[in-house]
Amino acid sequence: MRSQTRLPAAVAALLGLSALHPSPAGAQDVERGREVYEQWCSQCHGSEGDGQGPAAEYMIPRPRDFTTGLYQIRSTATGELPTDEDILRIINEGMPGTTMPGWEEELSGADREALVAYIKTFSQFFETLGAPEPLEFPGAPGASEERIAEGRLFYDSIQCFECHGAEGRGDGEASSTLQDDLGNPIRSADLWKAWTFNGGSTVEDIYQRLRTGLDGTPMPNFSDLIDAGFMTDDQLWNLAHYVRSLSPEETPTPEEVIVVGQVAPGELPGQLADERWGQAESFYVPLVGQIIENPRWFDPSVDGVWVQALHDGSEVAFRLTWHDRSRSPDPGWLEWQGWVLDAMAPREGENLEPAPRPDGITVQFPPTIPEGMDMPYFLMGDGSNPVYQWQWSSVPGTAVKAAARGLDIYEPLGAEGLTSEAAWEAGRWQLLLRRALVPADPASELQFEIGVPIPIAFFAWDGDNSEEGARGSVSSWYFIQLEEETPPSTYMAPLVAFLFTGGLGVLVVRRAQRRDREVQAAAAGIVLPPEPRPQMARNFGFAVGALWLLFALAAAGNSVGGWAAGQTDVGFWWAVITGFLTIAASVALIGTARHRYQGPRKS
Amino acid sequence: MGRYTKHPFWQSLAVVVVSYALIRWGIAYLPGLVGITSAPVPASVVLQYTAIVLVGVLVWVSDNEERWTRFKEPIHAALVEPDKKVVRMSMMAVVPLLVAFATFNNVRPTISAPASLRSIHPAPPTQITFRGETIVLEGLENPLREPDLEEAAFELGKELYYQNCMPCHGDYLNAGGHYAPGFNPTPLELRGSSTIAQLTESFVFWRIAKGGPGLPREGGPWNSAMPVWEDFLTADEIWAVTLFLYDQAGIAPRTWEEEGIEE
């Protein structure tokens, strides 16, 4: 046992490195490893290490079976055992895109080391085959446009698209036929989501996967082809750079408020392909399996949707983008559906047979903008508080409106006033939804208001993954806010505050100075000459009057604008403000003009 | 130096500035020292506390005539003395600019989600109806916390937890499940001293059995992704999960004696 105490990360990393060198694991290590494993790992990986713990059936991909000695993420050649460092790395960092979390912060360095020792005892190969050697790679060449373009060509020439699709979204011809060595369905990686790559998202990680393959999955290794002279190392690096370039640098994180940008009246993009969408900000909303109401679904296919939204003061348009490996219903995926339904627990509800099912997405809002914090239940409302929905389905391919009072309990509201356009291409759905801010039927439909946060939530289905009804993916409530034009008062108020504070400052300083002069003069017995006629003060009075008049004019403009836009309350209150400002301006102007100077103030 | 440290004006200024810094950053720093997660001090609290300090300082300086006169000296000097012209002019430029900036920040349209005022530990009901049966929560202990039942209950609870609860509440009971980032509010962290360690097992039973939709209004039932587990699990299964949560996280439930209720 190296240490009993919890170690800082740096020391733990050093211990991890030292594990590279073969050192016989002590019996103590293995015993401690067994305890930790039983407490934290056996639920999924099984007490026997066979990957069949009680929770295993709720997960795809399944937890690793340690008894075979077959490991997906390694630094060693295909078919070889992993190094101790490889195993430790997965324990530390987990496997993105799967249910395996990282344990670096949770377990001490010694405990994680002990786990490595214990996990290796499940397979005799670690003893019989001896310590494996990691493959040696040259360092990564820097990324460049040329490398990425070359990588793209190489991607096509070695036919990565067979599984990963023409654009890399995991939608290749063969993607519906993929199984792992255990016979469970497995999805080809969506290369646009580096944050879900099982072996990590850096260019080096991607390159290492290409060299070592992902043992136990259909992903091959390319080391043999390099050794045989069919491709060069450089070409493989280009490929790694191309794959990395498909994903954003950083993992997208959701924002609580989706900003609906404002465009000039009539400038709202009416079509999916409109170039103006390119300028609209994109907001990522993660979706997770609906595991709240019966029947639950632990293997959702749609894990996020990108939302873009614009309005022009009279209409609002949304463009939703999400990845889906097939345009459902696709008969080529019926067999896949059978595999998924057989593999996934819990098998709740009905219709657990493969069947042609459409893709779909539902956008939901409250029927009216909530006054306080109360909202309808995010999972499609309930009996007392319905939600207002736009339901789109790939069959027939248009969107309709509805009021829902719970999962699958809804009342259709027709399609009047809701325009939609959808397209599936290379593993990606895009959907345009457009409606006037003021609805056809204000009694049952949401009226969008500018400048106010409005709750929004999503529900998506991939029909070819056997999803329908409650089996799908969900989001909780987010907000949209329609951008408003900055009102002139936003700039007026600071100006007024500046002038007011500055004026007050001048008054205070002048008073203090005059009193100081008087005190000094009195002390010296001098009688001060009378103050000159204050032409300055007169000018100041007129300037203030003119400024108030200017404000009054601006307020009158706001008022007229408010009435014209049909916002009578805005029009009314600006009219009141105009009145006060006019009175203030007249008093200042007339008062200054009529005022006669009567010599210095007597005190 | 001593000219400043002994002068009531500079003393007052130092007290106000130091207090502001302590209120703004110092208070928030404290919980971290004892291992509790901290949060920034709300702006309204900072304003209130600083105002109290300011009033205290003014009472102190004006309490004594001589001190009050000395306190006013630098202010007066800045206002009238010819050699303080630079100070005077810069104050007269900087102060209105700051005021204008603060005004702008207040009136400009901002995009932010409405404040959520949900209560995390709402008051529990005294009794609930569980699958048609009335269960009185007050004074109720976990029936499985008996020497001969505990071990089997822990194993059952462990199995149920990792099948049903892990996707959100996490393998390590730290709210780090792979579905956790999909929900807002995020799932409750179960370990540590600040969540279920503060609650009785009957409270936890109620929360599991009735889930998000069973929350009172102040708990924000419309946005909680916690399922209504009485639809999936029996009472014994929920008690088993409850027992497992405390044992696996290495914490003890609050007892009814601590709550001041005799059994």
Side-chain angles (χ1 to χ4, degrees):
Chain A
M1 199 84 184
R2 286 181 182 87
S3 169
Q4 288 282 3
T5 53
R6 198 184 168 98
L7 295 162
V11 183
L14 274 177
L15 285 173
L17 282 176
S18 73
L20 261 179
H21 307 291
S23 62
Q28 254 189 324
D29 264 348
V30 171
E31 185 44 36
R32 176 65 190 149
R34 197 188 64 76
E35 284 169 22
V36 178
Y37 182 90
E38 273 303 318
Q39 191 177 9
W40 298 111
C41 316
S42 62
Q43 303 85 327
C44 301
H45 293 283
S47 289
E48 309 299 319
D50 56 4
Q52 296 188 23
E57 285 216 324
Y58 290 69
M59 300 160 182
I60 281 183
R62 288 278 201 265
R64 181 124 315 265
D65 172 358
F66 298 121
T67 61
T68 61
L70 191 74
Y71 284 75
Q72 191 184 334
I73 308 299
R74 290 158 293 103
S75 60
T76 58
T78 294
E80 287 200 27
L81 293 172
T83 63
D84 286 8
E85 195 198 22
D86 290 339
I87 301 175
L88 188 66
R89 178 186 160 183
I90 298 299
I91 294 173
N92 284 346
E93 298 172 17
M95 281 176 82
T98 77
T99 52
M100 172 72 186
W103 295 90
E104 194 161 13
E105 304 286 319
E106 286 73 22
L107 301 178
S108 72
D111 278 357
R112 283 177 279 125
E113 284 258 301
L115 264 182
V116 173
Y118 181 64
I119 286 169
K120 285 164 67 183
T121 65
F122 286 124
S123 165
Q124 54 172 340
F125 294 121
F126 283 100
E127 263 186 40
T128 53
L129 294 182
E133 283 295 314
L135 289 178
E136 298 281 337
F137 307 122
S144 67
E145 292 291 320
E146 292 76 37
R147 280 199 177 274
I148 290 170
E150 285 287 323
R152 160 91 236 199
L153 294 175
F154 195 60
Y155 178 89
D156 289 338
S157 74
I158 62 168
Q159 298 182 320
C160 303
F161 57 79
E162 281 287 333
C163 298
H164 294 287
E167 298 297 330
R169 299 190 192 105
D171 59 310
E173 287 275 316
S175 60
S176 63
T177 65
L178 301 178
Q179 288 181 308
D180 62 19
D181 282 7
L182 300 169
N184 289 308
I186 186 168
R187 293 184 176 89
S188 49
D190 179 343
L191 304 179
W192 289 52
K193 297 173 181 169
W195 61 92
T196 66
F197 291 178
N198 296 179
S201 62
T202 67
V203 171
E204 286 79 7
D205 289 330
I206 296 165
Y207 173 82
Q208 200 181 45
R209 301 291 81 71
L210 290 167
R211 286 294 300 257
T212 64
L214 294 167
D215 287 1
T217 82
M219 175 72 185
N221 83 85
F222 294 95
S223 286
D224 300 344
L225 291 175
I226 289 180
D227 294 344
F230 284 112
M231 60 176 71
T232 67
D233 212 41
D234 209 47
Q235 284 175 311
L236 216 54
W237 275 114
N238 292 348
L239 182 57
H241 277 301
Y242 166 65
V243 168
R244 187 61 190 85
S245 76
L246 294 173
S247 302
E249 291 271 327
E250 302 283 333
T251 305
T253 47
E255 301 276 343
E256 209 171 345
V257 182
I258 294 164
V259 181
V260 183
Q262 190 178 32
V263 296
E267 287 293 305
L268 207 58
Q271 280 173 338
L272 267 184
D274 198 304
E275 280 177 8
R276 282 169 296 185
W277 282 117
Q279 273 105 55
E281 201 180 341
S282 197
F283 293 84
Y284 180 69
V285 174
L287 300 181
V288 297
Q290 192 289 109
I291 55 167
I292 297 154
E293 286 188 18
N294 191 332
R296 294 174 291 166
W297 189 233
F298 284 74
D299 183 41
S301 154
V302 184
D303 61 4
V305 53
W306 282 266
V307 183
Q308 293 171 287
L310 295 169
H311 80 97
D312 70 350
S314 58
E315 276 190 279
V316 62
F318 291 85
R319 188 171 80 162
L320 310 180
T321 304
W322 71 99
H323 291 192
D324 184 330
R325 288 177 173 77
S326 68
R327 186 198 172 108
S328 313
D330 180 342
W333 283 76
L334 282 174
E335 197 182 9
W336 169 275
Q337 281 196 45
W339 296 342
V340 170
L341 287 169
D342 283 347
M344 285 311 292
R347 281 168 275 277
E348 291 167 346
E350 294 165 0
N351 303 330
L352 290 167
E353 295 297 324
R357 298 175 165 103
D359 290 330
I361 198 161
T362 285
V363 185
Q364 39 181 27
F365 306 97
T368 53
I369 298 175
E371 290 285 330
M373 65 172 197
D374 299 60
M375 290 183 234
Y377 187 36
F378 78 102
L379 215 56
M380 298 202 181
D382 56 30
S384 45
N385 285 303
V387 292
Y388 166 65
Q389 301 185 327
W390 295 343
Q391 306 174 334
W392 172 85
S393 165
S394 61
V395 178
T398 50
V400 291
K401 303 173 293 182
R405 293 173 181 275
L407 284 174
D408 268 351
I409 307 170
Y410 56 85
E411 165 199 345
L413 297 173
E416 194 198 342
L418 179 65
T419 332
S420 65
E421 182 199 347
W424 184 89
E425 203 200 346
R428 179 172 74 179
W429 274 112
Q430 287 200 309
L431 170 66
L432 178 87
L433 292 164
R434 191 171 153 161
R435 209 207 72 182
L437 302 188
V438 181
D441 175 19
S444 58
E445 295 186 51
L446 172 75
Q447 168 156 356
F448 291 96
E449 275 181 39
I450 295 172
V452 185
I454 304 169
I456 189 171
F458 302 87
F459 205 128
W461 298 264
D462 173 6
D464 285 339
N465 197 44
S466 78
E467 295 173 15
E468 66 178 347
R471 290 203 306 270
S473 24
V474 296
S475 81
S476 39
W477 284 119
Y478 287 78
F479 293 93
I480 53 167
Q481 185 162 335
L482 278 64
E483 221 171 42
E484 55 189 328
E485 248 175 290
T486 312
S489 60
T490 307
Y491 303 108
M492 206 78 89
L495 190 68
V496 173
F498 178 82
L499 291 174
F500 187 77
T501 323
L504 212 63
V506 170
L507 273 180
V508 167
V509 169
R510 289 183 63 141
R511 258 188 83 97
Q513 291 186 337
R514 190 161 71 206
R515 194 173 301 158
D516 189 53
R517 271 200 304 277
E518 282 166 7
V519 169
Q520 282 175 9
I526 307 167
V527 179
L528 280 176
E531 298 253 333
R533 187 187 160 86
Q535 188 58 38
M536 271 290 287
R538 237 177 121 72
N539 291 344
F540 187 69
F542 284 126
V544 166
L547 196 70
W548 287 129
L549 205 60
L550 209 68
F551 288 162
L553 280 174
N558 277 354
S559 169
V560 171
W563 289 108
Q567 291 165 308
T568 46
D569 52 338
V570 174
F572 173 76
W573 287 112
W574 274 112
V576 171
I577 295 167
T578 310
F580 280 123
L581 283 169
T582 315
I583 294 170
S586 335
V587 167
L589 291 174
I590 299 168
T592 310
R594 286 179 55 88
H595 185 72
R596 293 280 166 267
Y597 181 62
Q598 290 159 354
R601 202 168 274 151
K602 322 268 185 303
S603 49
Chain B
M1 198 61 203
R3 189 157 74 90
Y4 292 108
T5 51
K6 292 214 173 67
H7 196 287
F9 177 79
W10 300 109
Q11 283 174 337
S12 310
L13 194 68
V15 167
V16 172
V17 168
V18 169
S19 314
Y20 176 79
L22 279 178
I23 294 161
R24 178 85 190 268
W25 297 287
I27 295 178
Y29 181 72
L30 288 176
L33 296 179
V34 288
I36 303 171
T37 44
S38 186
V41 181
S44 57
V45 174
V46 174
L47 188 73
Q48 222 171 56
Y49 284 19
T50 314
I52 290 170
V53 172
L54 195 66
V55 169
V57 165
L58 286 177
V59 167
W60 174 72
V61 289
S62 58
D63 161 56
N64 167 316
E65 190 63 39
E66 189 211 328
R67 198 185 293 139
W68 180 236
T69 317
R70 286 192 67 208
F71 177 78
K72 288 190 297 184
E73 271 167 15
I75 305 172
H76 183 74
L79 287 176
V80 301
E81 278 175 22
D83 63 331
K84 296 278 190 311
K85 193 165 181 180
V86 179
V87 178
R88 188 154 59 239
M89 287 302 157
S90 36
M91 288 297 272
M92 278 175 61
V94 169
V95 173
L97 275 176
L98 280 178
V99 171
F101 181 71
T103 315
F104 177 71
N105 264 340
N106 265 318
V107 297
R108 81 195 156 102
T110 50
I111 294 209
S112 63
S116 168
L117 302 168
R118 68 184 268 279
S119 149
I120 294 171
H121 290 162
T126 47
Q127 60 179 52
I128 58 170
T129 309
F130 185 90
R131 295 189 175 190
E133 221 176 285
T134 301
I135 296 182
V136 179
L137 293 178
E138 208 169 83
L140 184 63
E141 297 288 355
N142 191 338
L144 302 181
R145 219 171 259 289
E146 299 291 336
D148 52 332
L149 300 174
E150 215 159 345
E151 202 179 319
F154 178 84
E155 287 306 321
L156 174 65
K158 184 175 180 181
E159 204 172 303
L160 291 168
Y161 177 86
Y162 283 92
Q163 287 171 343
N164 297 291
C165 320
M166 183 277 276
C168 297
H169 294 283
D171 290 74
Y172 196 59
L173 283 64
N174 59 352
H178 55 288
Y179 281 4
F183 292 119
N184 178 17
T186 48
L188 188 73
E189 172 166 4
L190 303 165
R191 48 177 55 247
S193 55
S194 57
T195 61
I196 60 169
Q198 303 281 335
L199 304 168
T200 63
E201 283 188 288
S202 69
F203 187 102
V204 176
F205 180 90
W206 164 57
R207 288 310 327 124
I208 297 175
K210 296 295 178 181
L215 281 167
R217 189 178 156 267
E218 65 267 26
W222 47 82
N223 219 7
S224 164
M226 181 73 171
V228 180
W229 288 103
E230 67 174 331
D231 295 348
F232 297 93
L233 304 175
T234 64
D236 272 354
E237 286 174 328
I238 294 179
W239 283 123
V241 171
T242 309
L243 182 140
F244 163 79
L245 293 181
Y246 285 98
D247 291 7
Q248 182 86 339
I251 49 179
R254 201 172 158 85
T255 61
W256 284 103
E257 286 85 64
E258 287 172 297
E259 292 271 310
I261 289 171
E262 297 295 323
E263 274 178 83

